[in-house]
């Protein structure tokens, strides 16, 4: 990850890595860490992708699933509407 973050490569690849890390953390029930990684991915993707891009939708979905897992249903709804 450090190599990827410091490389002069595509920031969207970094966002994808963040999203995958968050999904793994969610499966391990480490929800606060998962949310932190997802928010970093979201920040990158919202800056670089059109609003209807599939990768942005994947991050919204992951955020929704993570908030749902911790019982924050209203927060989850923010990402699926």
């Amino acid at each position: 990850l450090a190599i990827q973050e410091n490389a002069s490569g595509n920031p969207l690849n970094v966002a994808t890595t963040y999203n995958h890390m968050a999904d793994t953390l969610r499966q391990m029930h480490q929800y606060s860490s998962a949310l932190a990684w997802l928010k970093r991915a979201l920040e990158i993707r919202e800056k670089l992708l059109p609003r209807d891009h599939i990768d942005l939708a994947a991050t919204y979905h992951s955020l929704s699933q993570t908030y749902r897992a911790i019982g924050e249903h209203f927060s989850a709804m923010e990402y699926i509407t």
Side-chain angles (χ1 to χ4, degrees):
L1 179 63
I3 293 169
Q4 191 171 15
E5 286 178 331
N6 294 322
S8 60
N10 186 343
L12 291 173
N13 290 338
V14 175
T16 298
T17 300
Y18 290 169
N19 217 91
H20 290 306
M21 288 180 61
D23 288 340
T24 300
L25 288 164
R26 185 181 70 240
Q27 291 174 0
M28 296 169 57
H29 305 281
Q30 295 181 16
Y31 302 115
S32 61
S33 294
L35 287 170
W37 286 108
L38 286 167
K39 289 176 183 178
R40 291 172 76 179
L42 182 63
E43 183 179 326
I44 294 168
R45 287 178 168 176
E46 283 183 330
K47 286 180 186 175
L48 299 175
L49 297 174
R51 188 156 167 76
D52 62 348
H53 195 280
I54 189 75
D55 289 342
L56 191 52
T59 301
Y60 288 144
H61 176 75
S62 293
L63 280 159
S64 176
Q65 292 299 306
T66 304
Y67 278 118
R68 186 184 61 80
I70 59 175
E72 291 189 27
H73 301 289
F74 289 111
S75 294
M77 292 296 291
E78 290 179 30
Y79 295 101
I80 59 172
T81 57

